[in-house]
Amino acid sequence: MTITIESIDNDTFSVSINSEKDTQHTVTFSDKQRESYNLGHIQKDVIIKYAFEFLLMREPNTSILTSFSIDLISNYFPEFKTRLQEHFRKTKGERKS
């Protein structure tokens, strides 16, 4: 399975998942949302990749919404914010360019 992320604009990303059945997703993720997770120092595409890896551990790519805001994940998986923060605290993340 391959996850490819392309920036459409500063807040909108196209995510392609190549798997048994390929899917395409549009994700919005603003600077304000990134700050709300206390991850302002992490590149957005790195956070989005983690978010999709998190989702794919819980559901097939064909079950992931085709268009959504990153903060919607917590509505379905309440542990998302905590797991996200723990992951980047452990890895120290990647700096914004």
Side-chain angles (χ1 to χ4, degrees), residues 1 3 17 19 23 25 51-66 68 72-74 76-77 79:
M1 183 172 306
I3 301 169
I17 301 175
S19 186
T23 55
H25 311 269
F52 272 82
E53 290 169 347
F54 173 91
L55 289 171
L56 290 166
M57 287 189 290
R58 289 156 177 79
E59 61 186 352
N61 61 314
T62 54
S63 294
I64 298 173
L65 296 172
T66 57
F68 63 95
L72 187 63
I73 297 171
S74 291
Y76 295 92
F77 303 100
E79 72 276 18

